[in-house]
């Protein structure tokens, strides 16, 4: 435990010293990974499916705020889908505009990161970690961003799976292509069910974390993992959702472990030193519970210069 806290403290100090270098580097690497995944998943436009173009755009994303990275990733996805079908790209662009205009423009840069991280978590087979982590470390808005990321993953997967169907439709039959694109939104039962499940889990974890009970964040993560497993099992029994029970249980367990580690590193609390304070003013009487964060005292080194008598001035 002490070693982990010391590593966390050293990382925090390192980040504090080199923040201006680390932030652009992280944004650039993150943009590079997301763009490469987009090219691999829906790389229909061969001009964009180029390593050097992705690298150049990633460098630009590193120099600009995270909102620009989200905007570029959205443009990449629309451009790739347009190579598949202009009509389908128009539907996908309308969906993205609704996301950006109705939600993201009102939120901070953290929501862009969560939105882009959620599809990556699905590809890494640990999607359930997202509502657990953001429920503890984020807020209600973060849970919404996760649900939007879930919808994005399922719709992009739908387009990838039905690419041959879309290309088989005649170019003169634009209405049928639009109908297929809209069907991926309206009739995609699995997408809607999973979107609601992730939203509910994120909200429940957030609400439990806001309580004053001891180890609320740990109880929230465990409760969220159990709720996620129960809701997914109900979805399999009640809707046309295909989920492996083994993958669900293993994924929930691994996601809970990852969420606990991340939460401990971000918000480790020492409940053994919790204090309850009561005070009042002219209008209210206050009951305050203060729980300190776990800290490791850093050793400060002092250098003393020793001068021999012969070097001293008389």
């Amino acid at each position: 435990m002490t070693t982990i806290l010391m590593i966390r403290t050293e990382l925090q100090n390192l980040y504090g010293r080199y923040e201006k270098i680390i932030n652009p580097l992280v944004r650039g690497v993150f943009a590079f990974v997301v763009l490469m995944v987009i090219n691999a998943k829906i790389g229909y436009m061969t001009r964009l499916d180029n390593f050097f173009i992705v690298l150049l755009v990633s460098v630009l994303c590193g120099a600009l705020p995270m909102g620009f990275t989200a905007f570029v990733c959205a443009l990449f996805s629309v451009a790739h889908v347009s190579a598949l079908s202009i009509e389908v790209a128009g539907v996908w662009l309308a969906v993205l505009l609704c996301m950006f205009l109705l939600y993201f423009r009102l939120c901070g840069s953290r929501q862009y990161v969560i939105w882009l991280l959620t599809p990556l978590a699905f590809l890494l087979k640990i999607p359930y970690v997202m509502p657990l982590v953001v429920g503890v470390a984020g807020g209600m808005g973060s849970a919404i961003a996760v649900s939007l990321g879930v919808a994005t993953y399922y719709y992009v997967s739908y387009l990838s799976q039905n690419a041959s169907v879309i290309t088989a439709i005649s170019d003169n039959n634009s209405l049928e292509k639009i109908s297929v694109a809209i069907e991926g939104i309206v009739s995609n039962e699995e997408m809607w069910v999973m979107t609601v499940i992730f939203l509910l889990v994120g909200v429940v974890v957030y609400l439990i974390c806001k309580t004053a009970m001891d180890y609320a964040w740990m109880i929230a993560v465990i409760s969220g993992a159990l709720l996620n497993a129960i809701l997914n099992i109900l979805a399999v029994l009640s809707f046309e959702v295909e989920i492996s029970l083994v993958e669900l249980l293993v994924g929930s367990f691994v996601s809970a472990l990852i969420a606990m580690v991340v939460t401990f590193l971000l918000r480790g609390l020492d409940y053994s030193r919790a204090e309850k304070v009561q005070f009042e003013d002219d209008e209210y009487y206050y009951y305050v519970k203060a729980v300190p964060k776990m800290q490791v005292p850093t050793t400060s080194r002092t250098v003393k210069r020793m001068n021999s008598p012969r070097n001293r001035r008389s």
Side-chain angles (χ1 to χ4, degrees):
M1 183 74 69
T2 304
T3 304
I4 297 176
L5 291 175
M6 291 179 65
I7 294 175
R8 184 187 70 174
T9 303
E10 290 297 328
L11 290 176
Q12 290 175 345
N13 295 335
L14 181 65
Y15 177 77
R17 290 196 300 267
Y18 302 103
E19 179 181 358
K20 294 183 179 180
I21 299 175
I22 294 175
N23 284 342
L25 182 62
V26 171
R27 285 197 300 265
V29 172
F30 180 70
F32 179 82
V33 172
V34 175
L35 292 176
M36 291 296 289
V37 169
I38 292 174
N39 286 345
K41 190 72 175 177
I42 50 171
Y44 302 116
M45 182 174 286
T46 56
R47 296 178 183 177
L48 292 180
D49 193 5
N50 184 290
F51 175 82
F52 295 102
I53 292 179
V54 173
L55 183 61
L56 181 62
V57 174
S58 300
V59 172
L60 184 61
C61 290
L64 295 173
M66 185 56 68
F68 180 78
T69 300
F71 178 72
V72 168
C73 292
L75 285 183
F76 259 65
S77 65
V78 172
H80 280 302
V81 176
S82 67
L84 178 67
S85 169
I86 295 295
E87 294 83 359
V88 177
V91 175
W92 177 228
L93 177 61
V95 172
L96 289 173
L97 285 176
C98 290
M99 289 185 186
F100 277 81
L101 296 178
L102 298 179
Y103 176 71
F104 286 121
R105 73 182 185 91
L106 304 175
C107 304
S109 59
R110 176 187 298 181
Q111 313 309 328
Y112 292 117
V113 178
I114 295 172
W115 173 57
L116 294 174
L117 273 177
T118 303
L120 293 181
F122 271 94
L123 296 176
L124 295 174
K125 306 300 182 182
I126 50 171
Y128 310 122
V129 73
M130 293 303 299
L132 301 180
V133 171
V134 302
V136 175
M140 289 289 190
S142 300
I144 297 175
V146 170
S147 64
L148 293 178
V150 173
T152 300
Y153 169 78
Y154 275 96
Y155 189 68
V156 171
S157 299
Y158 170 83
L159 295 180
S160 179
Q161 294 169 2
N162 293 272
S164 58
V165 176
I166 296 172
T167 54
I169 301 174
S170 173
D171 293 336
N172 297 325
N173 200 344
S174 299
L175 290 179
E176 186 174 354
K177 290 186 177 182
I178 295 175
S179 176
V180 172
I182 295 177
E183 185 180 356
I185 301 173
V186 177
S187 302
N188 197 337
E189 193 174 65
E190 184 174 355
M191 180 189 76
W192 287 108
V193 171
M194 297 304 294
T195 299
V196 172
I197 289 176
F198 275 63
L199 179 62
L200 289 177
V201 172
V203 171
V204 169
V205 172
Y206 169 77
L207 293 177
I208 295 177
C209 282
K210 291 302 177 183
T211 61
M213 72 177 78
D214 289 351
Y215 303 99
W217 62 271
M218 185 179 297
I219 297 173
V221 170
I222 296 175
S223 301
L226 292 175
L227 177 63
N228 174 75
I230 293 172
L231 291 178
N232 275 276
I233 292 173
L234 292 177
V236 172
L237 297 176
S238 304
F239 303 96
E240 296 181 1
V241 178
E242 297 181 1
I243 300 176
S244 171
L245 183 60
V246 176
E247 291 184 1
L248 171 63
L249 296 178
V250 174
S252 298
F253 178 74
V254 173
S255 297
L257 288 181
I258 296 175
M260 284 188 177
V261 172
V262 173
T263 305
F264 174 76
L265 293 176
L266 294 178
R267 193 179 295 176
L269 302 179
D270 187 0
Y271 287 97
S272 63
R273 296 191 294 124
E275 298 180 2
K276 294 184 179 179
V277 182
Q278 302 178 15
F279 57 94
E280 63 178 315
D281 58 17
D282 295 336
E283 298 181 358
Y284 294 96
Y285 198 91
Y286 302 91
Y287 297 87
V288 179
K289 181 179 180 180
V291 184
K293 293 183 178 180
M294 293 183 181
Q295 298 290 343
V296 175
T298 57
T299 57
S300 58
R301 299 179 180 177
T302 58
V303 179
K304 294 183 179 180
R305 179 174 296 177
M306 307 296 294
N307 295 324
S308 59
R310 70 178 66 178
N311 294 331
R312 296 178 182 175
R313 295 183 178 179
S314 55

